Amino acid sequence: MNKIETAKLAEEIVKNKLKDAEKGHDWYHIDRVRNMALEISDTEGGDKEIIEISALLHDISDAKFNGGNYEKAASESREILKNINFNKNKIENVIDIIDNISFKGGISINKVKSLELKIVQDADRLDAIGAIGIARAFHYGGFKNRVIYNPEIKPQNYSNSEEYHKSESHTINHFYEKLLLLKDLMNTKKAQEIAENRHLFMKKFLEQFYNEWKSKK
Ligand code: ADP
Ligand code: NI
């Protein structure tokens, strides 16, 4: 099997697994992350075979969809990589990316990141900001039946990932708790450049949002 066939097989598995997922994590999210990761790699380098497969698998193996079970997530990815005949020498590189890509409530793990992890993580983070990031945040809020905004509930700093994922906060707070922090967390120069414009767009959005909120009083 050549590289293109391997990626195609991975695509099919991912599309099938995500068909019932919350739609902020649908196939188009995966496809955007894959394309963005490959685009960043054009400038920053890295092994494109590892980058593409990791981007394709990064959310199906997410512990969020496995009842918070990280072990299960990793063993499932290993199984898929075996089934699609992915290059054996690179399996552990892919698992490392899938295991470490998540924001996990912003807790910084002192982890030495491979270039490929840096790139796929940047691509995933870029998809959480800008116009698409805004759309995904409100979609997620709706999925969890959260209020859009409540001026009495201020943003919080979470001390661990469990607290972060359990938070019942309104969606505007999510901008302060995560989305506006992402620009400065980009690993690569190319992603930092792309993030700049998306970040400004979110700030403009918030400014407009508060103006409209006030004007209704
Ligand atoms: P990741 O899988 O990238 O670690 P999440 O699963 O936390 O991140 O987020 C997936 C998408 O849902 C992102 O666009 C993110 O901004 C959005 N999201 C996650 N948590 C919330 C939240 N509490 N409120 C609004 N949107 C959220
Ligand atoms: Ni993702």
Side-chain angles (χ1 to χ4, degrees):
M1 234 176 309
N2 64 33
K3 286 178 197 167
I4 297 169
E5 283 169 2
T6 306
K8 277 264 161 252
L9 275 176
E11 278 184 27
E12 288 317 309
I13 293 171
V14 173
K15 275 184 190 164
N16 189 43
K17 271 221 66 151
L18 290 179
K19 67 180 188 306
D20 301 318
E22 173 270 315
K23 296 302 179 217
H25 280 107
D26 67 353
W27 162 251
Y28 289 109
H29 163 66
I30 306 299
D31 199 30
R32 288 191 303 269
V33 171
R34 181 247 304 259
N35 294 335
M36 179 58 79
L38 290 173
E39 187 186 323
I40 296 171
S41 159
D42 286 340
T43 316
E44 302 280 342
D47 180 320
K48 285 189 192 286
E49 198 182 355
I50 294 174
I51 290 171
E52 182 168 25
I53 292 292
S54 307
L56 286 171
L57 297 182
H58 85 273
D59 270 334
I60 59 163
S61 304
D62 196 318
K64 274 195 297 300
F65 303 123
N66 285 292
N69 186 336
Y70 287 94
E71 295 275 304
K72 180 159 178 251
S75 68
E76 190 170 7
S77 313
R78 274 203 184 82
E79 190 69 26
I80 292 172
L81 291 165
K82 232 168 55 195
N83 290 345
I84 65 175
N85 263 328
F86 186 74
N87 187 336
K88 280 201 182 65
N89 302 323
K90 297 182 182 176
I91 286 186
E92 290 314 311
N93 305 65
V94 175
I95 298 294
D96 177 66
I97 296 174
I98 293 168
D99 273 354
N100 290 292
I101 190 171
S102 177
F103 183 75
K104 298 198 173 90
I107 314 305
S108 69
I109 313 149
N110 289 332
K111 144 121 191 109
V112 181
K113 296 176 188 171
S114 65
L115 177 57
E116 290 80 10
L117 169 58
K118 288 180 181 169
I119 290 174
V120 180
Q121 190 172 52
D122 280 356
D124 195 32
R125 287 173 170 173
L126 283 170
D127 208 55
I129 62 176
I132 288 180
I134 295 171
R136 291 181 72 215
F138 286 101
H139 168 81
Y140 185 96
F143 176 72
K144 296 271 185 182
N145 200 24
R146 302 221 169 118
V147 291
I148 292 172
Y149 179 47
N150 177 345
E152 275 149 39
I153 304 176
K154 302 293 174 215
Q156 290 182 40
N157 284 321
Y158 296 106
S159 54
N160 61 53
S161 73
E162 207 182 323
E163 237 182 63
Y164 168 74
H165 279 115
K166 275 199 183 136
S167 154
E168 296 281 305
S169 195
H170 58 83
T171 302
I172 289 290
N173 268 353
H174 186 63
F175 285 78
Y176 301 94
E177 291 165 0
K178 177 176 173 186
L179 306 186
L180 292 170
L181 310 178
L182 291 177
K183 174 176 75 72
D184 294 329
L185 292 175
M186 295 295 160
N187 302 298
T188 66
K189 196 161 171 288
K190 178 73 186 169
Q192 274 157 18
E193 284 165 18
I194 300 169
E196 208 60 53
N197 175 39
R198 297 185 184 199
H199 183 82
L200 286 178
F201 187 82
M202 290 193 295
K203 286 182 72 168
K204 285 211 78 144
F205 167 80
L206 289 168
E207 203 183 297
Q208 172 92 8
F209 184 94
Y210 296 128
N211 284 338
E212 292 179 16
W213 190 275
K214 268 189 247 148
S215 71
K216 297 284 182 288
K217 275 192 179 165

